[in-house]
Amino acid sequence: MLVLSRQRDESIIIGDNVVVTIVDIRGDKVRLGIEAPCEVPVHRQEVYEAIRRENAEGGRSGAGPVRAPARVKATP
């Protein structure tokens, strides 16, 4: 695992088209802004695991895969 230190309003670039920016730091919470193309799924870990779990259960029941909600653009 790569561990980086960043301050508010500083960014990390992943590949050619994903930018992660530190938006705010409040106590032990860090708010991140993530810019990525629409075809790159971005989820919190617990949401990703829930989607995978639902898809695995859906495969057993014959239902189709669970799709994540459409990406919502953040307003400044």
Side-chain angles (χ1 to χ4, degrees):
M1 175 189 303
L2 173 64
V3 178
L4 301 171
S5 296
R6 299 277 71 199
Q7 294 181 8
R8 186 176 314 181
D9 297 325
E10 293 183 336
S11 299
I12 298 167
I13 309 296
I14 301 172
D16 290 330
N17 54 8
V18 177
V19 179
V20 179
T21 302
I22 307 304
V23 175
D24 195 16
I25 303 168
R26 292 183 189 166
D28 63 345
K29 300 237 182 201
V30 177
R31 295 185 71 201
L32 302 174
I34 302 170
E35 296 178 48
C38 291
E39 63 271 7
V40 176
V42 178
H43 303 289
R44 295 187 326 257
Q45 182 176 357
E46 63 273 17
V47 171
Y48 176 77
E49 290 170 356
I51 292 169
R52 289 191 61 189
R53 205 170 30 254
E54 289 292 322
N55 285 339
E57 291 170 6
R60 289 192 294 269
S61 69
V66 173
R67 302 222 186 274
R71 185 171 291 175
V72 177
K73 284 192 172 190
T75 55

